[in-house]
Amino acid sequence: MSTHTTAAGGVQVCSLKRDTPQTIPAANSPYTVIRFPFGSAESSDAFAMHQVNQPDGYVITSWDTDPRSGLIWPSVAGWGTLHAMIQWEAGNYDELRDQFVRDPLGLTPDPNDTTATEHRPPSPGMQCWTKSWGIFVNPSVPLAVRATHDDSVARKIVLAEFKLVIHEAA
């Protein structure tokens, strides 16, 4: 795991990668939080924003089944830039959907605050998408990227990345 640090008033980064498939339920299912492993070689979490021991005391025992493993808890308040990359297997889609969300699991008084929701028509073959969005972030409000689709059968996200870059107020 790489470690990148900066001085106060600088930039803090959390970069997550999932390279094992995650099944997303069939059409008309709610959005699903994309889950990420802890400590993988392709991830970077020098500022402890994606940890097994969550800031509210909850401990994740299985990253691949617990939606909390999809959360990034910002390390500081500031202007955040979110980035995501999602690759879906080929399927019979009419629409693929993804979004960033503050508190997707109802852990704060203001849950499911979504932003950058996109509904996309499919392209031929495998579906590969990237997105970026800027928002204000706070350490008490976790963030996630989540997705859904309209195929009549469950489909897999085969590769995903989720990144937060925080520009601290000086």
Side-chain angles (χ1 to χ4, degrees), residues 42-65:
E42 292 290 324
S43 296
S44 177
D45 188 25
F47 297 95
M49 293 188 248
H50 182 252
Q51 299 292 308
V52 170
N53 296 314
Q54 303 269 288
D56 63 357
Y58 183 88
V59 178
I60 297 170
T61 58
S62 174
W63 76 266
D64 201 29
T65 60

Side-chain angles (χ1 to χ4, degrees), residues 2-17:
S2 61
T3 58
H4 304 281
T5 58
T6 62
V11 175
Q12 297 192 10
V13 175
C14 180
S15 177
L16 309 178
K17 182 175 184 179

Side-chain angles (χ1 to χ4, degrees), residues 146-165:
R146 59 187 187 182
T148 192
H149 63 85
D150 69 351
D151 200 339
S152 61
V153 297
R155 290 292 177 188
K156 291 183 173 72
I157 291 175
V158 296
L159 181 66
E161 294 185 18
F162 180 36
K163 304 168 187 308
L164 171 61
V165 179

Side-chain angles (χ1 to χ4, degrees), residues 12-139:
Q12 297 192 10
V13 175
C14 180
S15 177
L16 309 178
K17 182 175 184 179
R18 178 191 185 102
D19 57 7
T20 58
Q22 178 177 339
T23 301
I24 306 298
N28 300 318
S29 294
Y31 281 89
T32 299
V33 170
I34 300 174
R35 300 179 297 270
F36 294 91
F38 297 96
S40 78
E42 292 290 324
S43 296
S44 177
D45 188 25
F47 297 95
M49 293 188 248
H50 182 252
Q51 299 292 308
V52 170
N53 296 314
Q54 303 269 288
D56 63 357
Y58 183 88
V59 178
I60 297 170
T61 58
S62 174
W63 76 266
D64 201 29
T65 60
D66 192 328
R68 278 182 172 246
S69 70
L71 300 178
I72 291 178
W73 294 79
S75 52
V76 295
W79 180 249
T81 305
L82 298 168
H83 303 277
M85 183 272 300
I86 302 170
Q87 293 183 2
W88 292 87
E89 69 178 330
N92 189 26
Y93 309 102
D94 286 323
E95 194 171 66
L96 296 151
R97 302 172 187 131
D98 53 69
Q99 62 186 198
F100 293 121
V101 59
R102 291 178 184 101
D103 187 18
L105 304 176
L107 306 175
T108 72
D110 189 20
N112 292 308
D113 181 7
T114 62
T115 189
T117 298
E118 295 185 81
H119 294 198
R120 310 162 188 262
S123 60
M126 191 170 162
Q127 308 303 307
C128 302
W129 307 102
T130 61
K131 66 190 298 155
S132 295
W133 195 251
I135 64 171
F136 286 103
V137 298
N138 184 302

